Amino acid sequence: MEALQGLAGGFAEALTLTNLFFVLVGVTAGTLVGILPGLGPPATIAILLPLTINLEPATGLIMLAGIYYGAKYGGSTTSILLNIPGESASVVTCLDGYAMARQGRAGPALGIAAIGSFVAGTIGIIGFTFLAPLIAAVAINIGPPEYAGIMVFALTSVVLLAGDSVLKGLLAALAGLLLATVGIDIISGAARYTFGQTEFLDGIEFIALSIGVFAVAEVMINVEQKTGRPIFTVPRRLRELMPTRQDLKQSRFAILQGSVIGFVIGALPGAGSTVASFISYTVQKRISPNRESFGKGAIDGVAAPEAANNSETGGALIPLFSLGIPGSGTTAILLGALILYGLDPGPLLFEENPDIIWPIIASMYLGNVMLLVLNLPLVPVFASVLRIPYHLLYPGILIVCIVGVYSVRNSIFDVVLLAVFGLVGYFMRKLDVPAAPLVLAFVLGPLAERAVRQSLIISQNDWTIFLTRPVAAVFLLLALLLLGGSLVGRGRAARKEVLEVDT
Amino acid sequence: MNSAKMLCTSAVAAVTLLAAGCGSEPTTSGEGDAFEAGPTEFLVHTGPGGGSDVFAREVTALLEKEQLIDPSSWTVRNENGGSGAAAMVYLRGLAGETDTVALSTPTWITTPLTTPEAAVTVDQLTPIARMVTEPMMMAVTADSPYNSLEDFIAAAEAEPGGLVQAGGSVTSVDAISGGILQEETDVKWSYLSFEGGGERITALLSGDADMMFGSPSDFTEQVRAGDLKVIATIGDEAPPLFPDAPTLADSGVDVEVPEQVRGVMGPPDMPEDAVAYYEGLMQDLTETASWEEFTEENGLTTVFAGSEEFGTTLEEQTDLLSSRLESLGLLAQ
C-alpha cells in the first residue's frame, strides 16, 4: 500500500510538462546510443552529467534513467538487421534475429523486440515498485559461491548452444575462455598473455571481438558468395513488416519468462544483462514448442533475450536505490549522479527522499510507453535499411563497425583486432564452427573464474563450499541435469538418424 | 506526423547535447611563444563513467562555474588502457606541449611498478598540483565482534588466514595497505578481490568478507542505516565524516600506509609559465566555496600543494609503494 501511495505521488510529479519532456529526451538519446555500437549508456550518462546538473534532481535523474533503459531498446536493432551485436547483451539476439532478417522477416523481429522490451521493461518496473525491499534482502546474500554455480550452469548451456556438433561448440567455447584470460588478473596481479603490449593489459576489447566474428565475418562471407540473388528480401507491404498474431502468440511465454529471469538476475550485483539475456534464451530453447527452429529464425528466440535484457533494468535499480550498491557500470555512474544531486544513496534513500525517488520510478512507466510509441513506427524504416544495394550496404556496415570499435577507447589497436577477429570469424564460418559459444564464453569466463577463485579464498580452499551453499548446489545440479538430458537427447537423435539412413 | 516531428526535435536535442559533451578537436599552441591559456584537454586513465573520469568532469564543471576558465574550453580525454599505462604513454608523447594536463591517482605509481609492459613512470612527467586525498577507513558489519583494529588483529592472530578482507585488485592501495598491516603486526588474513565496488560491500554485508577498507563515502550511508560500523582510520588523521575513528597510531600500529592522492600532471618538459598557470588555476579552484562543498560531499580532503611539493609527494609515495610491493612479491622485475 505504501508503494501504491508513493507511486501515485510519483506520477503526479512525473506528469509535469518539464518532466515529461526530459523523459522523452532521455529515452530518445538512449535509443540512439543503443543503436550505435560502441558508445554505451555509462559513457553517455557520464558525458551528459555535468550538463544536467542545473536541472532539478528529479528531472535530471529522470532523464539519465531514460538513457539507461532507452539504450536497451535500441540494442537489438543492429543485431537483427546487420548481425552487429552493439553490446554483450545483444549477442544472443543476433542468432535468431539475424536469421529472421535473412528470411525477410526483419520487421517482425524488430517488432517483437520492441513489444517484448515494452512488456518486460514494464514488468521489471512493477517488480521494482512492489518487491524492492524483498529482492534487496535476497540479493545481498548471493555471493561468489552462488555466482560460481550460476556461471557453471551458464557455461554448460553455452556448449549446448552449439549447432550440430558439440565438439565444435566446445572448441569455440574453449577458444573464448582462452581469449578472456588476456590481461591483468586482479586476484594475483599477474599480466597474462599480454606479449608486452600495453593494449592487452585490460584484456581484449569485447566489442572488437564480437563485432569481428559476427558482423565483419558475415560481410566477408556475403561478398565472397557474390551471388546476384539478393540475400535479404524485404516485403513491400507494411503489414508484413510487423509481427503477426501468430508471432505474438508464439512469443507470449518467451516474453514472460524473459521478464522474470531478467528481473531476478538484474538484481544480483555483478551478473548483468548478458547473463540474463543468455540464460533466458537457453531456457526458451529448452522449453519452446518449436525448438528445432532455434538458431534458424525462431521468433521466441528473439523475444526471450530482449525481454530479459529490458526487465534487467528494473532489477538492477533495486540494489542501487534500496541499498546504495551499484551492480554494474551504468548503475555505478547513476550512483555518482545521485551523489552529485545532493542525495545520499544508501539504505535510507527511499525513506528520506521519496519526493525524488518515486517520480523517477513513475517516469520509467511513462518512458517505456514512449519508447514503444517511438520504436514501433521506426520498425518499417529500419527494416528498409536492408533494401540498400549491397555495394553501399556492406561498406556502410564496415564503417559502422570501425567507428563503433574505435569509439570505445579511441584505439586503432582495437580496429586492427577487429580485422583479425573478422578473419577468425570468416574461417570459423568456413569450418562450420559456431561463433556464439566463443563470444559468450569470452563474457562468462572471467566471471566464472573470479567467482570460483573468490569462493575458494572465502572457504580457505575447501571445495565443499560449492555444495554447502544451497543456491550454488542447486545450479550445479541443474547444470548436471542439462548436460545429462542433452546427451541422452542427442544420443536418441543420432540413433534416429542412423535408422532413417538404414531404411 | 506530429509524433514524427516530435521525435525529430528530441533527436536533434539529444544529438546536440551529445556533441556539446564530446567537445572540440585538440589544438596545439605554437611552441616557443609565451604561454596563453586556451583550449585544454584534461586527460584521464579511465573510460567515461570511471572514477577519475567523473572527478575530471566535475573539476571541469566547477572551473567553468567559478568562471576560472572560458566556457567549454576544457574537454576530458579518455585514454583508458592498461590501468593508466596508455594515458601515461600518451602524455609522454606530448613533451613540451602546454595544452594537455592529466589527472593522476596512485594507479599512476603502482602500474609501472607492477607491470613490465607499462613503460612510463611518473618521474618522467611534470607534476603541477596536488589536489585531494581520500582517507581510508576500515569497516565491519554492525553486529561484528570487532570494535577496533586491535580486535581484528587479535582475531586474525588466533586464526591465521581465516579472516577475509574485501577490496579491489591485489595491487590497489587498499590491498597494499592491508598487506602492510599484516607484515607490521605479523598476522595473516586473506584478501578477496572484486572488480566492482558494489560487490565488495555486498560481500561484507553478507558475511563472506569480515572487513573492508574504503573511502568515507563508501560507508557513510550504510553506517547511518545501522548496517556497518567504521572502526578505524587506516592513516594518520581521522576525516571529518568519522572524527572518532582511531588512527593507526591510536590503534598501536604506527606504520606509514600509501595515500590516495589525486593530482594534476603535465607532459614532460612542460614550459614553466604553463605549469605556473595551471598550478594557479587549481589553487584558485580549491579556494572556492563550491570546491569545498564538492569535496565534502565526496568525502575528500583537500591537500593542495604546488608543482614542487607535489613532485616530492610523488617521490615519497613511489619509494613507499615500491618497497612495500617488493616485500609483498608484486614488484615487476
Side-chain angles (χ1 to χ4, degrees):
Chain A
M1 278 313 96
E2 211 178 298
L4 273 182
Q5 271 174 15
L7 192 61
F11 268 111
E13 177 69 21
L15 282 168
T16 62
L17 211 58
T18 320
N19 284 343
L20 278 176
F21 174 73
F22 278 99
V23 178
L24 187 67
V25 173
V27 298
T28 312
T31 306
L32 289 175
V33 165
I35 290 173
L36 299 170
L39 192 72
T44 314
I45 294 175
I47 291 165
L48 291 182
L49 197 50
L51 303 175
T52 56
I53 206 68
N54 293 325
L55 299 173
E56 287 292 309
T59 309
L61 288 164
I62 278 173
M63 190 190 102
L64 297 177
I67 296 174
Y68 178 26
Y69 57 83
K72 300 277 181 99
Y73 269 71
S76 59
T77 309
T78 49
S79 307
I80 292 170
L81 291 176
L82 309 171
N83 211 23
I84 302 178
E87 43 169 10
S88 55
S90 337
V91 169
V92 280
T93 309
C94 285
L95 301 178
D96 283 282
Y98 185 65
M100 284 181 73
R102 294 198 63 145
Q103 295 159 11
R105 295 191 10 96
L110 290 168
I112 209 72
I115 294 165
S117 297
F118 166 71
V119 174
T122 307
I123 289 178
I125 305 159
I126 294 174
F128 178 25
T129 311
F130 296 100
L131 301 176
L134 183 75
I135 296 279
V138 175
I140 207 79
N141 285 310
I142 302 290
E146 286 76 18
Y147 281 119
I150 296 173
M151 292 306 153
V152 169
F153 172 72
L155 279 169
T156 311
S157 11
V158 165
V159 176
L160 300 177
L161 199 72
D164 306 320
S165 160
V166 175
L167 189 66
K168 285 179 178 171
L170 198 60
L171 273 176
L174 284 176
L177 290 179
L178 184 65
L179 289 173
T181 57
V182 173
I184 295 179
D185 164 43
I186 61 161
I187 297 179
S188 68
R192 303 189 291 200
Y193 303 114
T194 52
F195 304 103
Q197 295 283 331
T198 42
E199 285 88 351
F200 277 140
L201 285 176
D202 290 332
I204 291 169
E205 176 54 49
F206 169 79
I207 295 279
L209 172 73
S210 63
I211 294 186
V213 297
F214 276 94
V216 176
E218 177 71 24
V219 168
M220 287 165 76
I221 290 276
N222 288 337
V223 169
E224 183 190 50
Q225 284 169 350
K226 248 200 295 190
T227 48
R229 186 168 54 85
I231 293 164
F232 303 103
T233 48
V234 182
R236 291 278 152 199
R237 283 192 313 183
L238 194 63
R239 270 188 67 183
E240 288 172 43
L241 288 172
M242 285 298 185
T244 61
R245 198 166 294 221
Q246 175 66 18
D247 289 337
L248 288 174
K249 213 176 131 199
Q250 264 185 28
S251 310
R252 227 170 23 193
F253 185 75
I255 291 174
L256 206 64
Q257 66 90 346
S259 304
V260 175
I261 289 179
F263 175 70
V264 173
I265 292 182
L268 312 176
S273 50
T274 312
V275 180
S277 66
F278 170 65
I279 287 187
S280 162
Y281 180 84
T282 323
V283 167
Q284 191 61 28
K285 194 182 173 185
R286 304 292 303 173
I287 60 176
S288 171
N290 58 332
R291 69 190 79 127
E292 324 69 65
S293 64
F294 262 67
K296 299 172 196 121
I299 193 153
D300 49 343
V302 177
E306 276 311 304
N309 184 17
N310 280 276
S311 68
E312 190 259 358
T313 318
L317 289 176
I318 290 179
L320 176 67
F321 281 134
S322 36
L323 301 170
I325 295 177
S328 68
T330 315
T331 45
I333 177 88
L334 283 175
L335 178 82
L338 290 169
I339 295 171
L340 278 182
Y341 280 113
L343 303 180
D344 299 319
L348 304 175
L349 183 65
F350 259 98
E351 226 168 280
E352 293 177 346
N353 300 94
D355 51 323
I356 290 171
I357 301 307
W358 284 109
I360 300 173
I361 297 174
S363 80
M364 294 175 67
Y365 286 93
L366 303 172
N368 263 291
V369 177
M370 286 188 198
L371 279 166
L372 187 69
V373 174
L374 279 180
N375 278 277
L376 270 186
L378 285 176
V379 165
V381 180
F382 282 132
S384 311
V385 164
L386 299 180
R387 290 209 183 98
I388 297 173
Y390 305 134
H391 63 275
L392 295 177
L393 183 62
Y394 289 141
I397 292 176
L398 290 179
I399 289 170
V400 170
C401 292
I402 291 168
V403 171
V405 167
Y406 181 78
S407 71
V408 176
R409 51 180 190 191
N410 304 336
S411 160
I412 286 292
F413 184 83
D414 287 345
V415 177
V416 175
L417 274 187
L418 171 76
V420 171
F421 284 118
L423 268 179
V424 170
Y426 169 80
F427 285 112
M428 286 173 66
R429 287 281 291 270
K430 285 279 170 191
L431 299 169
D432 215 16
V433 177
L438 183 144
V439 174
L440 289 165
F442 180 81
V443 176
L444 298 173
L447 297 173
E449 185 200 338
R450 276 204 292 273
V452 170
R453 289 168 69 192
Q454 286 161 349
S455 305
L456 291 174
I457 290 173
I458 292 170
S459 72
Q460 298 190 62
N461 290 324
D462 181 357
W463 285 83
T464 56
I465 190 169
F466 299 111
L467 301 176
T468 52
R469 302 267 288 233
V471 178
V474 166
F475 273 99
L476 287 179
L477 189 69
L478 281 176
L480 213 60
L481 287 176
L482 191 66
L483 205 60
S486 143
L487 287 180
V488 171
R490 268 170 207 278
R492 235 179 250 151
R495 220 172 305 137
K496 205 170 140 204
E497 246 168 61
V498 173
L499 285 176
E500 273 164 9
V501 171
D502 279 351
T503 49
Chain B
M1 291 124 281
N2 255 337
S3 74
K5 201 169 173 187
M6 204 160 69
L7 165 72
C8 208
T9 318
S10 45
V12 168
V15 169
T16 318
L17 280 172
L18 275 172
C22 292
S24 51
E25 286 293 301
T27 49
T28 319
S29 59
E31 276 167 64
D33 302 337
F35 172 74
E36 245 178 87
T40 302
E41 281 201 317
F42 201 3
L43 176 69
V44 295
H45 73 271
T46 62
S52 285
D53 174 73
V54 174
F55 185 81
R57 287 179 201 278
E58 271 307 299
V59 168
T60 308
L62 289 174
L63 284 170
E64 279 186 28
K65 187 179 161 199
E66 295 291 336
Q67 299 181 339
L68 295 167
I69 55 172
D70 290 335
S72 310
S73 61
W74 280 44
T75 47
V76 171
R77 180 183 180 100
N78 305 91
E79 288 289 336
N80 46 319
S83 306
M88 293 171 80
V89 168
Y90 177 80
L91 196 59
R92 185 180 62 178
L94 299 176
E97 301 280 346
T98 59
D99 50 9
T100 300
V101 292
L103 182 70
S104 75
T105 71
T107 306
W108 286 49
I109 302 175
T110 52
T111 296
L113 289 174
T114 54
T115 30
E117 288 85 350
V120 184
T121 50
V122 275
D123 58 356
Q124 297 171 12
L125 308 170
T126 307
I128 292 174
R130 190 176 70 191
M131 302 295 288
V132 292
T133 62
E134 216 170 344
M136 194 159 44
M137 313 308 296
M138 175 179 185
V140 296
T141 47
D143 55 9
S144 156
Y146 317 120
N147 288 307
S148 65
L149 180 58
E150 291 101 312
D151 286 354
F152 187 85
I153 290 170
E157 197 168 10
E159 194 191 346
L163 297 183
V164 175
Q165 175 189 357
S169 148
V170 71
T171 56
S172 64
V173 171
D174 50 339
I176 296 170
S177 302
I180 292 173
L181 293 186
Q182 292 174 57
E183 264 187 346
E184 212 54 38
T185 58
D186 205 20
V187 300
K188 185 86 201 106
W189 63 74
S190 304
Y191 186 78
L192 193 51
S193 294
F194 287 100
E195 191 105 307
E199 295 162 87
R200 294 170 212 172
I201 293 222
T202 307
L204 185 60
L205 290 171
S206 72
D208 279 339
D210 301 288
M211 66 92 162
M212 177 180 154
F213 292 169
S215 60
S217 56
D218 286 341
F219 303 128
T220 36
E221 287 309 303
Q222 313 286 347
V223 167
R224 219 156 56 85
D227 295 335
L228 294 180
K229 59 187 176 193
V230 163
I231 58 173
T233 306
I234 306 300
D236 52 15
E237 199 185 344
L241 281 168
F242 294 105
D244 302 327
T247 62
L248 283 179
D250 298 339
S251 308
V253 197
D254 204 357
V255 61
E256 196 189 351
V257 291
E259 276 183 72
Q260 303 251 49
V261 186
R262 286 185 215 179
V264 177
M265 310 272 294
D269 309 321
M270 196 180 210
E272 267 171 41
D273 49 355
V275 175
Y277 165 75
Y278 289 114
E279 185 185 308
L281 190 64
M282 291 301 154
Q283 180 161 20
D284 291 347
L285 176 67
T286 53
E287 285 161 3
T288 62
S290 41
W291 174 262
E292 199 176 321
E293 194 185 327
F294 163 70
T295 48
E296 201 171 295
E297 266 170 20
N298 289 279
L300 302 168
T301 312
T302 304
V303 286
F304 180 84
S307 171
E308 205 168 313
E309 200 180 335
F310 182 35
T312 316
T313 306
L314 288 172
E315 272 170 37
E316 288 168 0
Q317 291 291 314
T318 308
D319 289 345
L320 174 66
L321 283 164
S322 65
S323 72
R324 289 304 182 169
L325 284 167
E326 186 171 20
S327 57
L328 295 171
L330 292 167
L331 201 63
Q333 297 311 309

